[in-house]
Amino acid sequence: MYLYKWNQLSRLQRTLVLGLLILLAIFCFVYGLSSIISNEQSFTANAINSSLLLKLKQSATSEKLKKEVLLFETDFNQRPIFTGPSNAKQYAVVQSFKHAWKGYKVHAWGHDNLKPVSGTSSDWFSLGLTIVDGLDTAFIMGLTEEFEEGREWIKNELEFTKNKDVNFFEVTIRVLGALLTNYHFSGDDMFLEKAKDLGERLMAAFSSPSGIPYSDVNLGARTAHVPEWSHYSSTSEISTVQLEFRELSRASDNPAFEDAAAAVSEKLHQLPKKHGLVPIFINPNTGQFLPHATITLGARGDSYYEYLLKQWIQTGKTMNYLRDDYLTAIEGVREFLARRSVPNKRLFIGELTTGSEAFYPKMDHLTCFLPGTLALGHANGLPDWHLEMAEELIHTCYLTYAAHPTFMAPEITHFNIGSSSTEDMFTKLSDAHSLLRPEFVESLYVMYQLTGNTTYQDWGWQVYMGIEKYARVPRGYTSLTNVKTEKPSPKDMMESFFLSETLKYLYLLFSDDRYMIDLSKYVFNSEAHPLPIHNN
């Protein structure tokens, strides 16, 4: 019937009807779009007025934990949305962070570190390390109050103008890395402005004749030099700044930072190595390694290998020389550094000693980063045996904890490789201290996300309980002198990495959502500050 009536209309009448319908459609579209824009502007204003974060009241009872929700002002697709603790174990870690933060706030606010036993402070670089380094952990945990007070201190008090030497590597991973992560997670440009100021001052490190960075930088004077004790820089230190400087270039649209840092990796790529393995010292004046220096995946060597892989991932797997150097190095680890203990054939990673390059069956706790790195490489398409090595090695790292009554690992573990040994490993008294380092729980977290194996969560909970029983003191958490005794004496120091790394990785490990920070979208720097992965 309607078609019949339409056909009875003249051509002019049909044209008028169609015109009216088109005008009506345009009006509806414009009105709807303006409503959407108005709503989005209202939401953005509200987000800004609440300092970028909206806190929903958190409470916990013995029956149920309510989540604290954080909303961002822009682009939900680019920034993860963090909720508060989703279970009792996460809630326990949050309470530990709050206890550590409170002790620091009361007794050491604005200083680098808290000495929790004496209730005093300690300064290393005078940059408020605990605040800056630990702030993104507070953000991830949903602790709005702690995040806001830390943000205000950074905004009003953090300056880089003091005439004081700092370690180029440590400030890069702890301060520059943290500022960039907080910028990405919060959207607050203040963090980026601070990062640019710091990055420009740190660029003095690259002023050596070879372009290999000096170890020490005077941020106020914008000068740099070799350390007082040596003419050499540590290999791990000069090769563990590229993630941060590359991200600073991307965020600030200034290629100078990335160019300087990437040139270091390119220079290292050209140097001769022992099947991909590097000595732990390098001369910034000549650009050459110290001949016959120790080769290790522990102190002064570790993160060189970590950043080969992570740079390749950060750049969308487009810089293949980094992948190739990493693959060659892991082959070298398997051939020259990996051994099995006696009598139970535990896989461990030893060292080639200074001078003779003889094998030494000693493994730093720092080396326990390697299982997570191997698993991350496997997840990005590298050989299956990398994951198999990771699974064996992380079990050995676990045993360095389980072997002690405190269920805490020593700084260094020695392994027996002689045929008459009755114990696979032992700890010298001089190596028995614990700084509450993060490397093992870092690997647990990475391997849990990538494999879903809940055994890694169980191991992490055992580590956490050891920390709570032996390292917690009324004003925070303290490093310990001897993990071999049930009554270890405190060293009276709470390192900033305890908040930045150890507690952060434990919190993420216990999450009901394995992908709270998706390792296909973010790469963690060496101080556990997540940075976005790019496609080029």
Side-chain angles (χ1 to χ4, degrees):
M1 181 177 68
Y2 296 110
L3 180 61
Y4 174 79
K5 290 183 176 180
W6 175 259
N7 291 332
Q8 298 302 308
L9 296 176
S10 67
R11 179 176 298 177
L12 176 61
Q13 289 173 323
R14 293 180 187 179
T15 301
L16 290 173
V17 171
L18 287 173
L20 287 173
L21 290 173
I22 291 170
L23 288 174
L24 180 62
I26 293 172
F27 173 79
C28 291
F29 174 80
V30 172
Y31 179 80
L33 182 62
S34 65
S35 298
I36 292 172
I37 293 173
S38 176
N39 289 336
E40 288 183 345
Q41 289 173 337
S42 175
F43 173 79
T44 301
N46 290 336
I48 294 173
N49 290 337
S50 60
S51 301
L52 310 174
L53 303 170
L54 176 63
K55 179 178 179 183
L56 301 182
K57 185 177 180 181
Q58 174 184 328
S59 63
T61 67
S62 59
E63 297 179 357
K64 186 177 182 180
L65 297 174
K66 294 183 179 180
K67 290 183 178 180
E68 198 175 68
V69 179
L70 305 177
L71 298 179
F72 300 95
E73 59 167 309
T74 58
D75 204 342
F76 289 89
N77 293 325
Q78 296 301 316
R79 299 183 184 135
I81 299 176
F82 297 110
T83 64
S86 60
N87 56 58
K89 289 180 179 179
Q90 274 198 312
Y91 181 75
V93 178
V94 170
Q95 296 311 304
S96 297
F97 181 92
K98 293 178 71 173
H99 176 68
W101 185 271
K102 180 180 178 181
Y104 169 79
K105 181 181 177 181
V106 172
H107 300 285
W109 188 251
H111 295 279
D112 285 338
N113 297 108
L114 166 68
K115 302 181 74 173
V117 177
S118 59
T120 58
S121 62
S122 173
D123 278 305
W124 188 11
F125 306 136
S126 300
L127 294 174
L129 282 183
T130 296
I131 299 173
V132 185
D133 210 6
L135 195 61
D136 62 328
T137 304
F139 192 92
I140 290 167
M141 289 180 173
L143 296 175
T144 309
E145 180 179 342
E146 287 80 358
F147 178 81
E148 287 297 327
E149 62 193 8
R151 186 182 68 86
E152 285 300 307
W153 185 87
I154 291 172
K155 178 181 178 181
N156 299 318
E157 304 294 336
L158 180 60
E159 296 181 349
F160 307 116
T161 56
K162 293 179 182 177
N163 184 28
K164 183 180 178 69
D165 285 350
V166 302
N167 180 275
F168 171 61
F169 155 75
E170 294 287 358
V171 169
T172 296
I173 64 170
R174 297 186 192 219
V175 182
L176 182 59
L179 291 171
L180 290 169
T181 293
N182 282 297
Y183 163 67
H184 281 294
F185 281 177
S186 73
D188 190 335
D189 286 336
M190 180 273 294
F191 291 113
L192 180 58
E193 293 305 312
K194 294 283 185 179
K196 288 192 289 186
D197 183 19
L198 175 58
E200 289 167 0
R201 296 171 186 276
L202 288 171
M203 285 287 283
F206 298 101
S207 62
S208 73
S210 70
I212 297 295
Y214 290 120
S215 67
D216 292 9
V217 178
N218 186 308
L219 295 178
R222 301 182 188 233
T223 58
H225 56 84
V226 295
E228 295 179 358
W229 52 270
S230 172
H231 295 297
Y232 288 84
S233 296
S234 296
T235 301
S236 65
E237 294 187 358
I238 61 99
S239 58
T240 311
V241 298
Q242 285 74 17
L243 294 182
E244 298 82 1
F245 275 80
R246 179 174 288 109
E247 184 51 45
L248 180 58
S249 275
R250 306 299 175 98
S252 66
D253 197 26
N254 180 354
F257 304 112
E258 180 172 2
D259 290 346
V264 176
S265 293
E266 292 165 5
K267 291 177 187 295
L268 292 176
H269 171 66
Q270 299 297 329
L271 292 178
K273 308 172 185 69
K274 184 181 178 67
H275 204 92
L277 304 177
V278 295
I280 62 173
F281 291 112
I282 188 169
N283 190 320
N285 292 315
T286 66
Q288 300 296 314
F289 290 123
L290 174 63
H292 307 296
T294 296
I295 292 175
T296 178
L297 268 69
R300 304 188 185 280
D302 49 358
S303 47
Y304 162 77
Y305 305 95
E306 173 191 1
Y307 269 41
L308 286 176
L309 176 69
K310 289 184 174 180
Q311 285 190 77
W312 177 61
I313 293 172
Q314 182 193 32
T315 55
K317 295 186 279 192
T318 58
M319 300 178 69
N320 289 335
Y321 83 88
L322 294 165
R323 177 203 60 197
D324 295 343
D325 284 357
Y326 174 76
L327 285 169
T328 302
I330 299 304
E331 290 273 8
V333 169
R334 181 167 67 166
E335 181 175 354
F336 295 104
L337 303 183
R339 296 286 179 88
R340 293 190 181 276
S341 63
V342 174
N344 294 305
K345 299 183 179 180
R346 307 299 186 194
L347 181 68
F348 70 97
I349 307 298
E351 300 180 351
L352 302 181
T353 58
T354 300
S356 66
E357 294 188 5
F359 182 79
Y360 187 36
K362 156 190 172 291
M363 187 170 84
D364 293 0
H365 182 276
L366 290 166
T367 306
C368 286
F369 85 92
L370 185 57
T373 300
L374 288 168
L376 184 62
H378 178 263
N380 282 275
L382 301 189
D384 289 345
W385 68 263
H386 285 216
L387 181 60
E388 294 165 4
M389 177 181 277
E391 291 170 340
E392 278 201 81
L393 186 58
I394 201 169
H395 182 239
T396 301
C397 290
Y398 168 77
L399 293 176
T400 66
Y401 283 78
H404 299 98
T406 56
F407 212 94
M408 301 178 73
E411 184 73 358
I412 297 171
T413 299
H414 297 260
F415 289 82
N416 291 311
I417 55 176
S419 59
S420 61
S421 301
T422 58
E423 296 292 335
D424 289 83
M425 62 185 73
F426 63 94
T427 302
K428 296 179 180 179
L429 186 60
S430 58
D431 302 326
H433 53 287
S434 169
L435 305 182
L436 311 184
R437 287 196 185 275
E439 286 75 23
F440 176 54
V441 293
E442 172 188 0
S443 284
L444 289 176
Y445 161 64
V446 173
M447 293 192 69
Y448 171 62
Q449 178 173 142
L450 298 178
T451 69
N453 186 343
T454 58
T455 297
Y456 301 130
Q457 289 183 309
D458 297 338
W459 289 355
W461 184 248
Q462 289 178 285
V463 173
Y464 173 73
M465 294 302 292
I467 292 172
E468 284 296 304
K469 183 174 181 179
Y470 294 101
R472 184 179 176 116
V473 292
R475 300 186 185 97
Y477 291 82
T478 180
S479 51
L480 301 172
T481 57
N482 185 1
V483 300
K484 298 171 68 174
T485 175
E486 291 189 10
K487 294 184 178 180
S489 300
K491 288 175 67 70
D492 196 19
M493 177 62 71
M494 187 175 76
E495 302 282 353
S496 72
F497 59 66
F498 177 68
L499 284 79
S500 169
E501 299 187 75
T502 308
L503 291 180
K504 180 187 294 167
Y505 282 129
L506 285 168
Y507 180 80
L508 294 172
L509 172 64
F510 299 143
S511 177
D512 292 336
D513 177 12
R514 282 162 48 197
Y515 304 100
M516 179 183 294
I517 299 179
D518 192 337
L519 292 174
S520 69
K521 297 178 180 178
Y522 288 87
V523 60
F524 283 79
N525 87 334
S526 199
E527 192 74 6
H529 299 303
L531 300 172
I533 292 172
H534 299 278
N535 59 10
N536 60 72

